[in-house]
Amino acid sequence: FDISNLFGTHAVGSMVTFADARPLRRHYRTFKVATVQGSNDVGMMREVIRRRYGATLAQQLPWPDLIVVDGGVGQVGAAVVALEELTRPIPVIGLAKRLEHIVVPGQADPAVLLPTSPVLHLLQHLRDEAHRVAVSYHRRLRAKPVRASALDAVPGIGPKRKAALLTQ
């Protein structure tokens, strides 16, 4: 899971799924953050996890063996709390960006893998893919208002006439 926002605006979350160390794109999902205001990545992560495992998606998609969140102690804690509220016992870890530390709930110190570790490379690939999906969705949402025009509100003007008027 990853969260993307620009100072709290157009906040979105992404979920990617891997099986046998390969992406399962048909199980990818994106979420518009609806209930959290401002720049609150921890609250946003909690909402996205709650929506994924507590709603209709819980019956539609397979259950994971492990949840990996992009972030540190705060994001991991938010995911754990959301899953506890839903009584869903799924292990959670986080990959903290800067030093590539693995945050495990209940452990005081993060796990540190060698930079050459295949496990670390897999976690980085997972994190980078979740980040790519979240940022792409975030950019699409931000671009929507740019494509809007005052002509959209005028009755009787459809897409073709709007294009013709804007061309003139």
Side-chain angles (χ1 to χ4, degrees), residues 10 19 23 36-37 50 57 64 75-76 83 94 101 103 107 111 116 119 139 153 155 158 167:
H10 301 293
V36 179
Q37 301 298 317
R50 189 180 308 124
L57 283 175
Q75 286 83 353
V76 170
L83 292 166
H101 288 171
V103 177
Q107 288 187 4
T116 57
V119 173
R139 285 181 181 150
T167 303

Side-chain angles (χ1 to χ4, degrees), residues 109-122:
D109 296 324
V112 180
L113 298 177
L114 291 173
T116 57
S117 167
V119 173
L120 179 60
H121 292 166
L122 176 61

Side-chain angles (χ1 to χ4, degrees), residues 83-104:
L83 292 166
E84 285 173 352
E85 289 172 351
L86 299 168
T87 62
R88 303 286 187 196
I90 304 170
V92 178
I93 64 170
L95 186 58
K97 279 182 186 151
R98 209 176 73 213
L99 299 174
E100 305 293 15
H101 288 171
I102 300 166
V103 177
V104 181

Side-chain angles (χ1 to χ4, degrees), residues 60-82:
Q60 293 174 352
L61 297 175
W63 289 95
D65 297 320
L66 174 68
I67 294 174
V68 179
V69 298
D70 180 25
V73 175
Q75 286 83 353
V76 170
V80 168
V81 167

